[in-house]
Amino acid sequence: MPRPDVDIAILGGGCAGLSVAVRLALAGRSLLVIEPRAQYVDDRAWSFWRTAPDPFEDCVRASWSRWEVGGPGGAVCRGSAHMRYQTVAAGAVYDRAQSLIADSPLAALSMGTSANDLHKSPDGWRIETDTGTLHANHVIDTRPPRRIPTYGQFFLGREIRTERPVFDPGSVQLMQFRPARSRGVDFVYILPFARDCALVEVTSFAPTSPGRAVFEDWLETEIAGLQPGRFEVLREETGALPMEVGFAEPPQPGVIRMGLGGGAARPSTGYAFTRIQSQADHVAEALRRGAMPRTLRDGLATRFMDRVFLQVLQTMPERGPALFEGLFRNAAPDRLERFLSGSTHPADRLSVMTSLPTLPFLRAALVPA
């Protein structure tokens, strides 16, 4: 085999690909990111509770210490003196990552290039792209999954600037539940950046998306209900996140699989950004030690809890709003937020378990669907 062109080839330059590329570039590793998009645009925002540092902390657009859930029993307001719910703008992440990669003499980003076939030999990898052949010692595959999950989070959101000051910039409307338009649990999510500017998003936890037409009608109804006066749409984001325990695509032997196809989304919530950062830390450290990373890292207890919760949500979607409301109403301060962010501490798990009704979850635990 010819001498490798780079040590590490990263297939896909989305959140996961750029996150691991930045860490490897900062460590002085030789790498190439292969990204099919010809250019990046500010196409989404990633939101999460900050629990650990990462290379994109200066990309945080907004941060909140209060959040609210509105269920059948009324509004539940929570907050924290220690944790912040933060939003990272994709455009800022893309710019930051490109800058750090460009600063490394051994790292590069190939835009407008798609990876097609992978071939393994005793000496490394041959990657066939639409611009030529690349040879590498290691391959990290962060491309979107091809398989369709059995349950997911589907959403359509628009960031708007309004004529009237209709938002409270001090509190995130995390989940405002609505009568179902899908075959699952439907809610509105509002990230307020200012009194006259927010991301308004309609979301379904469901086995399939209700479709673009349903989402557009629903989102337009929600925006009109705010009585915003004239408003301007600044950007739009749409997507689907897997909510399935063990969701991952088996990689080709020897390939490191990351991102949504590598199980990065939390099965019971769809939160992915924090877990992608953890994956990226783990992969970079494993490669430094010369070890093969294990990116699907949820333990048996976590997988069990997520499986039981999702089974109840899927089989009894009409109970979903009350279940989420109960979680946010009854869980001890910070414990639910840490659990949703990936904590496996026994006290955080116990707080979540005792905040939910016993019977449906006991039934789901004893009789898997």
Side-chain angles (χ1 to χ4, degrees), residues 350-365:
L350 181 62
S351 180
V352 169
M353 292 172 64
T354 56
S355 300
L356 293 166
T358 303
L359 188 58
F361 289 91
L362 181 61
R363 186 182 300 116

Side-chain angles (χ1 to χ4, degrees), residues 247-282:
F247 181 85
E249 289 187 327
Q252 194 169 336
V255 173
I256 302 164
R257 194 68 166 101
M258 280 187 62
L260 296 184
R266 179 70 190 264
S268 56
T269 64
Y271 281 112
F273 186 83
T274 299
R275 286 164 63 96
I276 285 173
Q277 301 313 308
S278 177
Q279 266 192 351
D281 285 336
H282 172 69

Side-chain angles (χ1 to χ4, degrees), residues 33 39 90 104 135 148 185 202 237 328:
V33 181
Q39 63 180 12
S104 171
H135 297 92
I148 299 173
V185 180
V202 291
E237 63 178 59
F328 280 86

Side-chain angles (χ1 to χ4, degrees), residues 50-320:
R50 169 71 64 185
T51 58
D54 63 59
F56 304 111
E57 289 180 70
D58 58 354
C59 301
V60 172
R61 178 180 177 184
S63 181
W64 299 269
S65 60
R66 292 188 289 118
W67 37 92
E68 183 177 310
V69 168
V76 179
C77 300
R78 289 174 68 95
S80 176
H82 312 289
M83 302 178 68
R84 293 293 183 270
Y85 191 75
Q86 297 186 338
T87 287
V88 169
V93 169
Y94 298 147
D95 290 345
R96 171 73 169 155
Q98 289 180 92
S99 175
L100 291 173
I101 291 170
D103 287 343
S104 171
L106 299 178
L109 173 62
S110 179
M111 301 291 292
T113 305
S114 295
N116 301 316
D117 296 324
L118 298 176
H119 303 278
K120 183 74 169 69
S121 75
D123 299 317
W125 290 93
R126 185 175 81 250
I127 303 126
E128 303 294 345
T129 77
D130 51 11
T131 59
T133 301
L134 174 73
H135 297 92
N137 292 322
H138 307 281
V139 172
I140 302 173
D141 189 354
T142 72
R143 293 173 294 180
R146 291 175 295 275
R147 63 170 293 228
I148 299 173
T150 58
Y151 196 80
Q153 177 184 155
F154 307 94
F155 58 89
L156 172 67
R158 289 176 183 147
E159 184 177 336
I160 60 174
R161 187 172 301 281
T162 61
E163 180 183 25
R164 298 179 58 247
V166 296
F167 303 110
D168 174 7
S171 180
V172 174
Q173 301 299 302
L174 204 60
M175 304 175 94
Q176 297 295 324
F177 291 98
R178 297 292 188 260
R181 295 179 180 236
S182 72
R183 294 192 291 128
V185 180
D186 293 352
F187 60 92
V188 181
Y189 173 64
I190 299 179
L191 287 178
F193 302 118
R195 291 189 61 79
D196 63 349
C197 183
L199 173 67
V200 182
E201 194 165 275
V202 291
T203 303
S204 295
F205 289 172
T208 57
S209 171
R212 174 83 188 196
V214 172
F215 271 146
E216 285 191 339
D217 178 71
W218 179 13
L219 181 56
E220 289 167 6
T221 299
E222 293 293 341
I223 292 175
L226 295 168
Q227 299 182 326
R230 291 190 300 272
F231 66 90
E232 175 188 5
V233 177
L234 304 178
R235 66 178 186 88
E236 179 178 291
E237 63 178 59
T238 186
L241 297 169
M243 296 175 68
E244 179 184 321
V245 174
F247 181 85
E249 289 187 327
Q252 194 169 336
V255 173
I256 302 164
R257 194 68 166 101
M258 280 187 62
L260 296 184
R266 179 70 190 264
S268 56
T269 64
Y271 281 112
F273 186 83
T274 299
R275 286 164 63 96
I276 285 173
Q277 301 313 308
S278 177
Q279 266 192 351
D281 285 336
H282 172 69
V283 168
E285 173 58 20
L287 288 175
R288 185 191 69 78
R289 293 185 284 103
M292 184 66 180
R294 186 173 65 88
T295 56
L296 190 60
R297 305 173 68 195
D298 288 332
L300 290 176
T302 299
R303 289 164 66 92
F304 174 77
M305 288 187 69
D306 283 346
R307 195 271 298 169
V308 169
F309 185 80
L310 284 171
Q311 182 174 325
V312 172
L313 209 60
Q314 292 177 55
T315 56
M316 294 181 285
E318 71 283 355
R319 298 194 63 167

